[in-house]
Amino acid sequence: MSIAAAVNERARGRRVRLDKPELLAPAGSLEKLKFAVHYGADAVYIGGQKYGLRSNADNFTFEEMREGVEFANRYGAKVFVATNIYAHNEDIEGIEDYLRELQEAGISAIIAADPIIMDTARRVAPKLEVHLSTQQSVMNWQTVQFWKEEGIERVVLAREVSMGDIDEIKRHVDIEIEAFIHGAMCSSYSGRCVLSNHFTDRDSNRGGCCQSCRWKYDLYAKGAPLSDPLAPDFPLYGEEEDAFMMSAKDLCMIEHISDMIESGVDSFKIEGRMKSIHYVATVVNAYRQAIDSYFENPAAYEVKPLWRDEINKAANRPLNTGFFYEAPGPEDHIFGPEDKAASYDFVGVVMEYDEQTETAVIQQRNYFKPGAEVEFFGPGGTHFKQRVDVIRDEEGAELDAARHPLQLIRIQTEQPVKPLDMMRKRTR
C-alpha cells in the first residue's frame, strides 16, 4: 500500500481525540534535559551510570537526576530512566540499591527489557512505573495483553510496527502505548544485532553498540595462489566506486502527526540521547508545534513546511517514514556516502537580553564572525534571520570573531530574544 493510500484509509476511520499525546524527548546530559523540557517536551528519558543501552552518553549521576527531576517538575514534565539492558549474571549485583535510588530521586518510570529488572523494581521500588522497552520487539496485541497482565504500565512498541498494527493493538488492549516518531533506525530487526559484539567485543544489548552497520565495507578477493597464506587480498571495487554500507535512513513523522495522534498512541518518542542540544531543541520544538497546532483545530489542521525545514536543519541523515506505511525498500537505506541533510551549525545560546539596548548576551558554541548571517529560534515561535554587525566581549571590547567555546559575547539583535533561544548559521 502506498503512503497516499494508507493516509486515505486512515482518513475514512478518523478518530476524535481530546487528550494530547505525551512528547517524550531524549536527554543524554543534564543540559540536554533542560533544553528538551524548555523547548516543549512533556517527559524526557535519560540514562544512569548503569543498566542502560547508551554507555557512551554523558549519563546521569543520582545528584544530576535529582536536579533534572526538580527542573522538569517546574514545567510539569516527567523524567524516565532507561534500564533496558539484557542483564548477565554479573549485572545483577547492586540492581536493588540502584532502583531504590531512582525512586528516591523522584524518577517517574524506568524503561526495562529484562524481566528480572522489572520484577526487582516492583519489589523494592514500587513507586516507579515500569515501561516495557522497545528491545522486547512487541508488535502484536496479544503480546501487549500479556505484558499488561504482567503489570506493565506502558509498552514501547517495536520500530517495525505499522499503522495497521497500532490500530489493532489499540482496539484490543487498554494500555498506554509509546511509539518512536523520530530518529535513528536499526538495520537489524528491532535492535537485535551481534555485529558489534563480533567485530569489537562491544555488546549492543548491554550498552556498547559501535554502530558497525554504518561502517564502510568492501568486498575482497583472496590473493593468488590461494595456497599461499601470505598472498595479499585485493578489493573487487575500484577506487572511484563507493564503499558499501547497510545504514538505514532516519525516521521522521513530522508530516504525519495527525495520523499518529488519531492512531491513539499515548507517547511520541524521539530517539537521540547521543545527539547535541541543538538537535534536541530543534526536533522537540518542531513536534511541539505540530502537536499543538493539531489540537487547536483538528478539522482544519495542515502540515506547515516550516516544521520539516526545521527538522532538516538538525537532521543527521536522509529521512523517511520507517515501517508505518510500508516496509522499507532499498531506497530507504544508505549504500554509499551519506548525504548530510543538516546545513547549519549551532553557534550560540542566548543568556540575557536587554530590551533598551536591544543587545543579547550570547554563550558562544561555534566560531562565527561579523558579517555572518545567523538565525535565531526558540520555543513558542521565535524565528528570524539577521546579519551580525559588531561582536563585543563582556567588557565591551570589539572582537574580530567569536572563537572561544563558551565565551560570553554581546551582539545587537533585530528582534527581541529570550534566554535559552538558540543561534545558528548556514554552512552551505
Side-chain angles (χ1 to χ4, degrees), residues 388-408:
V388 175
D389 185 12
V390 177
I391 303 174
R392 300 185 185 277
D393 65 16
E394 287 186 274
E395 286 71 40
E398 190 169 336
L399 302 174
D400 65 344
R403 54 169 50 89
H404 303 297
L406 303 183
Q407 179 184 17
L408 293 179

Side-chain angles (χ1 to χ4, degrees), residues 233-252:
D233 298 341
F234 59 90
L236 295 181
Y237 293 114
E239 291 184 2
E240 73 283 357
E241 294 180 285
D242 295 331
F244 173 81
M245 299 170 67
M246 60 186 91
S247 179
K249 292 182 179 180
D250 281 4
L251 173 67
C252 176

Side-chain angles (χ1 to χ4, degrees), residues 207-242:
C209 179
C210 67
Q211 297 199 32
S212 45
C213 58
R214 303 194 189 279
W215 294 0
K216 295 180 179 179
Y217 294 87
D218 207 336
L219 185 62
Y220 286 80
K222 193 68 179 173
L226 295 178
S227 59
D228 182 0
L230 298 180
D233 298 341
F234 59 90
L236 295 181
Y237 293 114
E239 291 184 2
E240 73 283 357
E241 294 180 285
D242 295 331

Side-chain angles (χ1 to χ4, degrees), residues 273-292:
R273 280 194 285 140
M274 301 287 286
K275 303 291 177 59
S276 68
I277 61 170
H278 174 249
Y279 175 94
V280 171
T282 301
V283 174
V284 169
N285 199 27
Y287 280 102
R288 178 78 277 156
Q289 292 179 53
I291 294 168
D292 290 349

Side-chain angles (χ1 to χ4, degrees), residues 147-176:
W147 285 109
K148 179 182 178 181
E149 292 171 0
E150 288 294 309
I152 294 297
E153 286 88 356
R154 177 187 294 186
V155 171
V156 186
L157 298 176
R159 285 174 170 84
E160 293 79 15
V161 297
S162 67
M163 297 302 295
D165 294 328
I166 293 173
D167 282 342
E168 189 165 0
I169 290 168
K170 294 299 290 187
R171 283 200 308 269
H172 285 90
V173 189
D174 182 18
I175 190 175
E176 286 190 7

